């Protein structure tokens, strides 16, 4: 069974979607640990409800970003975590951590990367006037939301949309594709070749079936 570690900073609804996918048997994995960088992150309450261990690692306790991420890395390795899930973790991860978990850290971003990386992906999409946006699950590299893309889902953007209404529409898709990406990983079906993530058979389903606009 795949051993997961989840990093979150806030609400944790993606964390919850993964808990639910495991609970319903759609995902064969175990969440070994939740790490938060904010003591009051609501994700902690979700962890408590589901008897998942959690640790608060305070960035203020470290003199450098590297040291903070080394502490996170050590905590995850101590628990035998194989795949790290960034679920609304609002920090750019640093090299010592990435090196230890190369192509084994996933992130979800609320836009169709490479458009609108960084903060407020939904607001950027509304302000830019795009007609389609969505969300992206990708492996994490040293850049800001630049790593190889695993799955994307698209949603329409309406002229009346606000940042909030678009975020809500995108979030529904986030909760669908994040557990799906982890499932593909757990089945050994993801292979990174340069910038591309190849999804192996039984059906080469990476590009379309999870995209609601493409049916
Ligand atoms: C999600 O919309 C996620 O895509 C976004 O933060 C939200 C966290 O929600 N992440 C980023 O913007 C990362 N750049 P959640 O805490 O309810 O899962």
């Amino acid at each position: 069974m795949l051993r997961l570690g989840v990093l979150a900073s806030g609400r944790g609804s993606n964390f919850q979607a993964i808990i639910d996918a495991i609970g319903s048997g759609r995902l064969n994995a175990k969440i070994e640990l939740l790490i938060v960088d904010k003591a009051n992150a609501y994700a902690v309450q979700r962890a408590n409800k589901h008897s998942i261990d959690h640790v608060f690692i305070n960035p203020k306790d470290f003199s450098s970003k590297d040291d903070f991420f080394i502490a996170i890395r050590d905590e995850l390795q101590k628990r035998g975590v194989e795949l790290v899930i960034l679920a609304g973790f609002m920090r750019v991860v640093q090299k010592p951590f990435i090196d230890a978990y190369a192509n084994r850290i996933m992130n979800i971003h609320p836009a169709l990367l490479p458009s609108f990386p960084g903060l407020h992906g939904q607001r950027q999409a509304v302000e830019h006037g795009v007609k389609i946006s969505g969300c992206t699950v990708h492996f994490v590299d040293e850049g800001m939301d630049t790593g190889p893309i695993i799955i994307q889902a698209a949603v329409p953007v309406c002229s009346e949309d606000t940042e909030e209404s678009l975020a809500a529409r995108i979030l529904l898709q986030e909760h669908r594709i994040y557990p799906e990406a982890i499932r593909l990983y757990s089945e050994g079906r993801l292979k990174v070749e340069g910038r591309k993530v190849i999804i192996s058979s039984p059906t080469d389903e990476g590009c379309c079936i999870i995209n609601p606009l493409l049916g």
Side-chain angles (χ1 to χ4, degrees), residues 24-64:
S24 70
R26 279 178 291 136
L27 177 59
N28 186 21
K30 178 166 187 276
I31 302 173
E32 296 291 340
L33 180 66
L34 169 74
I35 296 178
V36 295
D37 62 345
K38 292 201 169 69
N40 61 353
Y42 187 74
V44 168
Q45 297 194 35
R46 300 182 193 271
N48 283 334
K49 187 168 169 210
H50 295 276
S51 304
I52 295 168
D53 281 355
H54 73 271
V55 178
F56 166 47
I57 302 186
N58 189 347
K60 292 188 181 136
D61 290 343
F62 300 90
S63 55
S64 72

Side-chain angles (χ1 to χ4, degrees), residues 10-15 87-88 90 107-110 118 122 145 171 174:
R11 178 178 60 181
S13 71
N14 278 289
F15 174 46
M90 304 313 249
N107 181 45
I108 188 146
H109 182 75
Q122 307 96 329
D145 300 322
L171 196 63
E174 294 187 35

